[in-house]
Amino acid sequence: ASSWPTSATARSINAHLRYKMLSRTIRRAAKPATTTRSFERYLNLHEYQSSALMKENGVNVPVGIAAHSVGEAVAAAEEIGDAEVVIKSQILAGGRGLGTIWSSAGNSAGTASYPAPPGMEGAKFLQGGVHVIKKDQVKEYADQMLGGTLVTKQSGPEGKPITTLLMAKKMELVNEMYLSITLDRTTMGPLIVACAKGGTSIEDTAAEDPSWIIKCPVDISKGITKENTKTVVDGLIAGLERMGVASQLKDKKEDAYKQIENLYNMFVKYDCTMVEVNPIAEDPSGLLLAADAKIGFDDNAFFRQKAVFDEGDKNVDQVDPREVAAAEFDLNYVGLDGNIGCMVNGAGLAMATMDIASQKGGEPANFLDVGGSASVKNIKGAFEIITRDPKVKCILVNIFGGIMKCDVIAEGVKQAAAEMDLKIPLVVRLEGTNVDAGNKIIKDANLDTLISADDLDDAAEKAVKAIA
């Protein structure tokens, strides 16, 4: 397509894929020949896992102990030994402190920030996924948090399950700031993003007043320099002064420079796509502390980051099982709430297809990109994943045949549909190499559910009509 789709559906998918998906062509070109993996993994670590990695690499982190049961949480609080502790839900999404935990054990006190996930209407809730509590309250809170579903600004309406808690030492923090390192397409290298206002949603701060945001690109060939760390630290100090708050950070600049340098070196060493510390906090002496952290990794780095990926494999409960299944077939999948399943080759074409389906009155049920290797096995796998969603009433296939020839794709679609004995309408639009031969295969397939379309508009209209 000549322009990127701009619908709400496309923007939603784009946000979901921000850290998950690189260009399929780039990923495959970059993958070393020595790897034996047949699918992609998009790795993120929990806070307790990220903190352990940071500590190994010279970053200041609070004392913390992971707990997977109520008993372990109580024992961890005893080990920490203070009268008060911090109990933190561990999910792979930000905004936990302002989120809402839904379960059968919540106290339903106050007002929930987010509604119950689908299927949990009428459940009890506990407001907030992070709490500072007395040691004798640990059992009460752990009971309400473990096994619950935490809904945050970044989790999506379905939320994420809480299977692990981080019991952390309560720290005396003077100021809470924000710092992240990510990959920037504009500068084509690492970018440090910082803000004196931290601890909550950085997105809101950036939207309300971008002048608070500090951006410092790093030349990947030179590595991080003193000038880079000075830009970030001086920017944070200026922001704190702008807020009118007391700070000792200016007296501990060298320590702050070192902390940012260590974070950057870790970012490079472990092939990270993102290191986010929110908050990066100042203690009473002016030292910086990574009080909360999220780290994402490049899936192409599996061959040299096996230990990190093995740690990430523990977090499979945080991923939509359909996405896990899709990875086994080398597919990119994101579930949505509609009733038209989409199977397309290419991320841009997939978004355009969803836009057209929406414009014709339909609702896409998913984003699914089969890429450049739509074999019978992959097509069948895609159909199986799409039809797991009971809301799907029709499948719309939109394939542009370039390297993949349309007749080969059509044969794969016909075989997969026959083998699965699909009971719902399957609308197929083909364009590109050998398109006439491909369309003939579809039309001659003698399958009641298989519908051929002339172009994308025609396909979308037929899909919507099929479920009317």
Side-chain angles (χ1 to χ4, degrees):
S2 60
S3 61
W4 196 254
T6 57
S7 73
T9 299
R11 290 195 299 270
S12 174
I13 290 295
N14 193 38
H16 182 97
L17 298 178
R18 182 171 57 165
Y19 298 120
K20 175 185 169 183
M21 198 175 80
L22 297 173
S23 160
R24 183 180 293 268
T25 302
I26 294 172
R27 291 204 317 266
R28 286 180 174 164
K31 190 179 294 183
T34 54
T35 182
T36 58
R37 297 192 310 139
S38 60
F39 59 92
E40 310 294 340
R41 289 193 285 188
Y42 308 94
L43 177 66
N44 290 282
L45 296 183
H46 283 300
E47 176 192 1
Y48 75 93
Q49 297 165 317
S50 298
S51 293
L53 196 62
M54 287 182 171
K55 185 177 180 180
E56 290 176 15
N57 289 274
V59 179
N60 298 331
V61 297
V63 173
I65 303 170
H68 305 283
S69 67
V70 174
E72 289 182 6
V74 172
E78 289 292 340
E79 184 175 339
I80 291 171
D82 295 340
E84 290 186 320
V85 293
V86 185
I87 185 168
K88 310 177 83 172
S89 304
Q90 298 295 282
I91 67 167
L92 294 181
R96 292 171 295 160
L98 299 177
T100 304
I101 300 173
W102 292 90
S103 70
S104 60
N107 58 25
S108 295
T111 303
S113 296
Y114 297 92
M120 294 187 69
E121 294 81 2
K124 296 180 180 179
F125 70 86
L126 174 66
Q127 180 54 37
V130 178
H131 297 271
V132 179
I133 58 176
K134 295 178 180 177
K135 188 166 66 173
D136 59 11
Q137 294 178 294
V138 170
K139 183 180 184 303
E140 172 192 349
Y141 274 80
D143 272 329
Q144 296 179 68
M145 297 169 78
L146 280 170
T149 299
L150 178 54
V151 183
T152 76
K153 186 170 186 176
Q154 295 183 17
S155 72
E158 70 281 357
K160 299 282 187 181
I162 303 170
T163 57
T164 306
L165 299 173
L166 176 61
M167 307 302 299
K169 185 179 182 67
K170 180 186 176 184
M171 306 297 294
E172 187 178 351
L173 304 178
V174 177
N175 294 304
E176 296 186 358
M177 296 161 283
Y178 174 92
L179 188 138
S180 69
I181 307 171
T182 188
L183 294 171
D184 181 50
R185 291 182 179 182
T186 302
T187 61
M188 300 183 69
L191 178 71
I192 301 175
V193 180
C195 180
K197 291 184 174 182
T200 56
S201 173
I202 188 66
E203 295 95 335
D204 291 342
T205 302
E208 292 166 5
D209 188 352
S211 67
W212 285 99
I213 307 301
I214 304 157
K215 295 182 179 180
C216 178
V218 179
D219 186 333
I220 190 71
S221 62
K222 295 180 181 178
I224 194 164
T225 64
K226 183 67 169 286
E227 183 181 354
N228 295 143
T229 57
K230 188 175 185 300
T231 296
V232 175
V233 174
D234 287 352
L236 290 173
I237 292 172
L240 294 172
E241 290 175 349
R242 178 180 170 185
M243 293 164 62
V245 298
S247 170
Q248 303 300 316
L249 187 58
K250 58 182 175 295
D251 298 326
K252 295 292 179 70
K253 283 187 176 183
E254 291 299 325
D255 293 291
Y257 298 157
K258 188 63 178 176
Q259 286 299 295
I260 293 169
E261 180 183 345
N262 289 346
L263 283 166
Y264 176 83
N265 289 337
M266 184 187 73
F267 177 87
V268 174
K269 176 181 177 181
Y270 292 99
D271 297 293
C272 299
T273 55
M274 176 191 69
V275 172
E276 183 178 53
V277 185
N278 189 21
I280 185 165
E282 177 190 354
D283 73 7
S285 69
L287 294 177
L288 290 182
L289 182 78
D292 195 352
K294 287 193 300 180
I295 306 179
F297 301 84
D298 185 346
D299 64 295
N300 293 296
F302 170 78
F303 73 104
R304 63 185 180 200
Q305 304 293 352
K306 190 174 185 303
V308 174
F309 275 75
D310 286 346
E311 188 70 18
D313 282 345
K314 300 175 183 177
N315 304 332
V316 68
D317 63 299
Q318 297 289 303
V319 182
D320 185 332
R322 293 172 297 183
E323 292 186 22
V324 177
E328 296 176 2
F329 292 101
D330 198 22
L331 308 171
N332 288 315
Y333 176 91
V334 179
L336 299 171
D337 297 324
N339 51 14
I340 298 178
C342 299
M343 190 188 88
V344 189
N345 65 325
L349 186 59
M351 291 189 180
T353 302
M354 292 187 297
D355 274 355
I356 296 296
S358 298
Q359 289 173 9
K360 299 297 182 181
E363 294 182 30
N366 64 271
F367 166 102
L368 194 150
D369 170 18
V370 297
S373 58
S375 64
V376 174
K377 178 183 176 183
N378 284 9
I379 293 171
K380 186 178 178 182
F383 288 167
E384 288 174 348
I385 292 164
I386 290 172
T387 54
R388 285 185 191 182
D389 185 346
K391 298 190 297 294
V392 171
K393 304 303 180 187
C394 174
I395 299 176
L396 171 56
V397 176
N398 183 23
I399 300 291
F400 183 85
I403 297 173
M404 289 194 306
K405 296 180 175 62
C406 289
D407 54 336
V408 176
I409 297 164
E411 190 62 39
V413 169
K414 183 184 78 171
Q415 289 185 33
E419 289 177 17
M420 290 183 62
D421 191 22
L422 280 177
K423 302 298 184 184
I424 60 176
L426 176 60
V427 180
V428 181
R429 178 259 183 168
L430 302 173
E431 188 56 76
T433 308
N434 293 354
V435 63
D436 292 337
N439 283 332
K440 187 175 187 305
I441 291 171
I442 297 298
K443 289 175 181 177
D444 296 345
N446 198 28
L447 294 173
D448 293 338
T449 58
L450 205 54
I451 303 169
S452 177
D454 296 327
D455 53 40
L456 183 50
D457 278 334
D458 184 42
E461 288 170 359
K462 286 179 175 176
V464 173
K465 183 178 179 180
I467 60 176

